[in-house]
Amino acid sequence: LVFTEEDKYGLYSNLLFKYFLAEGIVCGHDLFIASAKEHPDNILKELPAPLLDDTYGKELGDEAAAVKSEDFQDSMKIAWRYQNLPKIEASPTTCTKFGHYYDVSKKMSPELCQSVKWHSFYLHEELSFEPKMKTCNMNSGYARLLQSIQRIISQEGFDGSDPQKKQRNVLRIGIQSLGSVLWGDDVCCSDTPEDTHSLTKFLYILRGLLRKSLSACIITVPAHLIQNKAIMERVTNLSDMVVGLESFIGSERETNPLYKDYHGLVHVHQIPRLNSLICDVSDTKDLAFRLKRKLFTIERLHLPPDLSDTVSRASKQDLAGSAKLLSSGCGAMAIGKKHLDF
């Protein structure tokens, strides 16, 4: 169970959500897409197109050339004693390619989308059939979603407890903006919501379904709207992996020259650990993401050299240049000096 904290405007978390689904299609997995905001058919049409091996190599080659030119420019700015320090690889290595890479500027072809079996759950359509449904003191939308997931797991042969004759695959479940007002939940509306346990009950039952079936699930939640920290603690404990995206849009970091190469930060709060009572915590605290023309990449955050030295050096050069220009009219004594003597 991968729990993703949405960024403030939901732009980059939605892209990460589509990456998860696109990887399932390329690997031949079955999909289950649930949403209360956007119709699953539209989500499927907006999945990014996979990059072929030769295209991916060309993209990495271009990126490597750009990184080398940036390193050369930085070497002119950084003090000599820092130049011999070991460099950290920011981009994935080409020799050990993991998974697939996608072009966010292109959409996946309809033929490739239809090559796998997929199931959809759109809350407004489901509630129109039977609007009044409440089970185990749980939100009706959550209860209906659990029933749909359980039905797909049992009917399509993903239940690990039942022996299956045919070759079994993996079910990828994607749930968009869980806990928002569109799902009928009020945890995002106030500090003391009336229905505090619906979300945690849903995740508890969902985690049990995932444990006994061949399935993996990603959930995006607008965590910045949930003011009750106790609910967030319980939700985090019920998840296996917790990742948060912090976008620079609308914040002071958007115009800060230190972060000019990046679009946001990635916070890895929790990593699953087998045979342990506690979850692993990532050692890497400085991860950032940026959306390029075609690729969405997550890298180590590298800050540029101290800007104050750069600015002061540039201002000195400007002063010297202006002195040379004005020296012809103010006498030869000002040539090569930073200040003019009248």
Side-chain angles (χ1 to χ4, degrees):
L1 179 59
V2 182
F3 180 86
T4 307
E5 297 178 359
E6 294 181 359
D7 51 297
K8 188 177 291 185
Y9 298 102
L11 298 176
Y12 301 104
S13 58
N14 194 29
L15 190 59
L16 205 64
F17 181 78
K18 291 176 180 177
Y19 261 64
F20 180 85
L21 298 175
E23 182 71 16
I25 290 181
V26 174
C27 295
H29 299 162
D30 289 15
L31 298 183
F32 181 90
I33 308 172
S35 176
K37 179 172 65 174
E38 191 177 358
H39 201 283
D41 295 349
N42 298 331
I43 296 175
L44 199 69
K45 292 175 184 176
E46 296 292 323
L47 296 184
L51 279 172
L52 301 176
D53 290 341
D54 53 348
T55 314
Y56 168 73
K58 184 177 183 302
E59 289 289 332
L60 271 192
D62 296 341
E63 293 297 330
V67 168
K68 283 184 180 178
S69 64
E70 288 177 4
D71 289 344
F72 177 73
Q73 292 173 2
D74 289 342
S75 67
M76 304 299 290
K77 302 174 185 176
I78 305 177
W80 61 270
R81 57 179 178 156
Y82 294 120
Q83 291 183 5
N84 295 325
L85 291 177
K87 291 189 176 295
I88 301 174
E89 285 292 332
S91 59
T93 55
T94 54
C95 57
T96 57
K97 182 185 173 187
F98 177 75
H100 301 87
Y101 297 87
Y102 300 91
D103 185 353
V104 295
S105 64
K106 297 179 182 178
K107 308 302 178 191
M108 187 177 289
S109 63
E111 294 80 12
L112 188 57
C113 291
Q114 298 301 327
S115 62
V116 300
K117 185 181 290 186
W118 65 282
H119 314 273
S120 64
F121 180 93
Y122 189 48
L123 181 64
H124 304 296
E125 291 180 354
E126 297 291 333
L127 290 181
S128 62
F129 299 131
E130 191 178 342
K132 293 182 180 179
M133 178 183 177
K134 202 168 179 89
T135 326
C136 303
N137 297 323
M138 192 190 297
N139 189 327
S140 60
Y142 295 162
R144 188 169 290 281
L145 178 56
L146 281 174
Q147 281 191 350
S148 296
I149 295 174
Q150 193 169 14
R151 188 183 72 250
I152 297 300
I153 286 175
S154 59
Q155 289 180 357
E156 300 297 328
F158 295 107
D159 197 340
S161 59
D162 295 338
Q164 301 289 332
K165 296 180 180 179
K166 62 178 182 179
Q167 186 177 2
R168 289 183 288 186
N169 206 332
V170 175
L171 176 67
R172 284 192 181 230
I173 304 170
I175 305 174
Q176 191 183 45
S177 293
L178 196 73
S180 65
V181 184
L182 296 172
W183 285 95
D185 205 341
D186 59 345
V187 291
C188 296
C189 301
S190 63
D191 297 341
T192 57
E194 297 179 3
D195 197 3
T196 56
H197 301 294
S198 273
L199 185 60
T200 50
K201 282 181 180 178
F202 171 81
L203 291 176
Y204 187 79
I205 300 173
L206 175 64
R207 191 174 181 180
L209 288 174
L210 297 176
R211 288 290 185 270
K212 75 181 192 71
S213 63
L214 296 171
S215 55
C217 179
I218 185 172
I219 294 175
T220 66
V221 174
H224 59 280
L225 297 177
I226 301 178
Q227 304 299 325
N228 194 327
K229 301 302 179 185
I231 295 178
M232 283 306 301
E233 285 290 332
R234 290 196 292 265
V235 166
T236 302
N237 292 332
L238 287 169
S239 305
D240 296 316
M241 184 167 184
V242 181
V243 179
L245 297 181
E246 180 187 350
S247 173
F248 292 158
I249 299 176
S251 66
E252 295 179 354
R253 289 175 175 172
E254 187 178 14
T255 55
N256 193 332
L258 290 173
Y259 302 100
K260 62 183 176 61
D261 295 331
Y262 304 101
H263 294 115
L265 300 176
V266 179
H267 305 289
V268 182
H269 300 301
Q270 191 170 287
I271 300 174
R273 176 188 285 175
L274 295 176
N275 303 322
S276 176
L277 293 176
I278 61 172
C279 290
D280 192 12
V281 179
S282 173
D283 296 331
T284 306
K285 302 293 184 184
D286 50 351
L287 289 176
F289 65 85
R290 56 176 167 176
L291 180 60
K292 303 172 186 176
R293 188 169 59 89
K294 291 185 177 181
L295 298 175
F296 176 81
T297 58
I298 297 176
E299 306 170 358
R300 286 278 186 93
L301 178 63
H302 295 296
L303 295 180
D306 189 9
L307 292 178
S308 61
D309 296 342
T310 310
V311 172
S312 61
R313 193 182 301 120
S315 60
K316 289 176 184 177
Q317 291 175 354
D318 292 338
L319 284 172
S322 61
K324 288 181 181 179
L325 289 175
L326 295 173
S327 61
S328 57
C330 300
M333 293 296 292
I335 297 178
K337 293 184 178 180
K338 297 177 184 177
H339 302 287
L340 297 177
D341 297 327
F342 292 96

